[in-house]
Amino acid sequence: MTSISEKASILHRAARNQTPVAQFSLSENYNLESAYQVQHELIQLRQEEGFPIVGIKMGFTSHAKMKQMGVNDMIIGQLTSDMQLSKSQPLVKADCCHPRAEPEIAFRLSEDIDKPLNAQEVMNYIDGVAAAIEVIDSRYENFKFSLEDVVADNCSSCAFMVGQWCDVPLGLNGLDMIMSFDGLSEAEGSSDAILDNPFEALAAATRLAHLYNIQLSKGMIVLAGASTAASFINKTSTINLEIDGLGRTLFTIV
Ligand code: OOG
Ligand code: MG
């Protein structure tokens, strides 16, 4: 049985050395509560390296993602500054274990949120929406995990790129999302795949953040979760995401 702190330091080392480890759940039982405690300690280690929290991410908000990973519950993870790719900054593949890309929608918080809100209410707490690509990279061997394992591993968070912020539209339904690898369509989805309405993902984020003591502060970025299954980044050198009415974002891989 490994302690909370041991799990956090094993996962932190796995990420920093690009060496996946065995899932904890194969050798012991632990619950979601402890898994979130591991996540908090893991994020603490990143902060001690000088990387503050810049946002949060939702996971498994679409059927495509749940089916791909064999889980059926939503999860929340935390994004630190070292994960955010700035404009024209490439993703360094050698810094990852087995990265995958996901087409997402990002929100920017215009105020602190300290209570659970519904999909109507959250619209008053954001001042920007953008196309975003998330790079996930499980620190577990073969990208396999239980719900507790993936929560402990900060929901496989690795890197993300956010496009130009747009004004908040009244609705985010029916937007085509097309992710291309080197100019060829790799994954096509609709914003409807994200809980039938991406604002629902933001509402779910306020609930989970409240439940697991994660702060939502003004200026933070919230990733709503992928609308399609994730795609392995193998020999790809450019990833582009185009969303109807929200513009595009892209980055290169070196
Ligand atoms: C967990 C992260 C899921 C999403 O957008 O659904 C996620 C994983 O699949 O490794 O980021
Ligand atoms: Mg994601």
Side-chain angles (χ1 to χ4, degrees):
M1 180 95 178
T2 44
S3 68
I4 304 272
S5 312
E6 278 164 348
K7 285 190 182 69
S9 90
I10 289 169
L11 290 168
H12 187 62
R13 249 182 292 126
R16 289 308 188 215
N17 301 331
Q18 301 85 41
T19 313
V21 296
Q23 295 168 237
F24 301 118
S25 64
L26 293 180
S27 51
E28 62 178 279
N29 279 323
Y30 64 119
N31 59 23
L32 211 49
E33 200 90 67
S34 351
Y36 275 104
Q37 281 171 22
V38 176
Q39 183 188 120
H40 277 296
E41 292 209 12
L42 186 60
I43 293 301
Q44 185 65 37
L45 296 173
R46 292 247 173 178
Q47 290 177 287
E48 283 164 14
E49 288 181 343
F51 305 116
I53 295 170
V54 296
I56 58 117
K57 62 164 274 183
M58 288 299 292
F60 307 132
T61 49
S62 66
H63 292 295
K65 275 296 304 181
M66 288 198 233
K67 186 158 169 262
Q68 181 180 36
M69 305 319 289
V71 296
N72 46 21
D73 260 315
M74 282 187 274
I75 53 177
I76 186 169
Q78 304 175 65
L79 305 169
T80 50
S81 63
D82 54 318
M83 298 176 192
Q84 186 167 13
L85 297 173
S86 56
K87 204 163 181 260
S88 71
Q89 183 186 349
L91 173 77
V92 180
K93 206 168 160 233
D95 289 345
C96 314
C97 307
H98 35 206
R100 291 176 169 186
E102 301 180 321
E104 304 224 6
I105 289 175
F107 296 105
R108 188 177 57 198
L109 301 185
S110 56
E111 301 197 38
D112 296 355
I113 301 177
D114 59 3
K115 53 178 186 283
L117 301 171
N118 67 31
Q120 267 303 315
E121 295 165 334
V122 288
M123 295 180 70
N124 301 321
Y125 290 77
I126 48 178
D127 61 8
V129 181
I133 300 169
E134 189 190 15
V135 176
I136 53 169
D137 189 28
S138 177
R139 267 59 63 163
Y140 299 112
E141 291 159 356
N142 306 315
F143 226 114
K144 289 243 160 61
F145 40 69
S146 68
L147 195 69
E148 290 76 19
D149 291 329
V150 69
V151 162
D153 185 28
N154 191 28
C155 308
S156 310
S157 306
C158 172
F160 65 98
M161 171 69 102
V162 180
Q164 193 81 42
W165 290 107
C166 306
D167 289 341
V168 183
L170 288 176
L172 282 170
N173 276 108
L175 310 183
D176 286 333
M177 301 174 65
I178 302 177
M179 184 169 71
S180 312
F181 279 16
D182 296 332
L184 294 175
S185 171
E186 167 66 28
E188 300 193 10
S190 161
S191 58
D192 292 352
I194 306 164
L195 294 178
D196 293 329
N197 169 8
F199 288 116
E200 288 289 354
L202 185 53
T206 66
R207 290 196 294 275
L208 290 186
H210 192 71
L211 198 56
Y212 296 112
N213 281 317
I214 294 171
Q215 261 179 26
L216 296 179
S217 316
K218 180 181 159 95
M220 271 191 176
I221 294 164
V222 177
L223 297 181
S227 56
T228 68
S231 299
F232 271 118
I233 301 172
N234 289 320
K235 295 216 161 58
T236 320
S237 54
T238 310
I239 301 184
N240 180 73
L241 170 67
E242 202 74 66
I243 304 182
D244 262 356
L246 288 186
R248 65 204 286 254
T249 185
L250 81 168
F251 59 86
T252 56
I253 295 136
V254 294

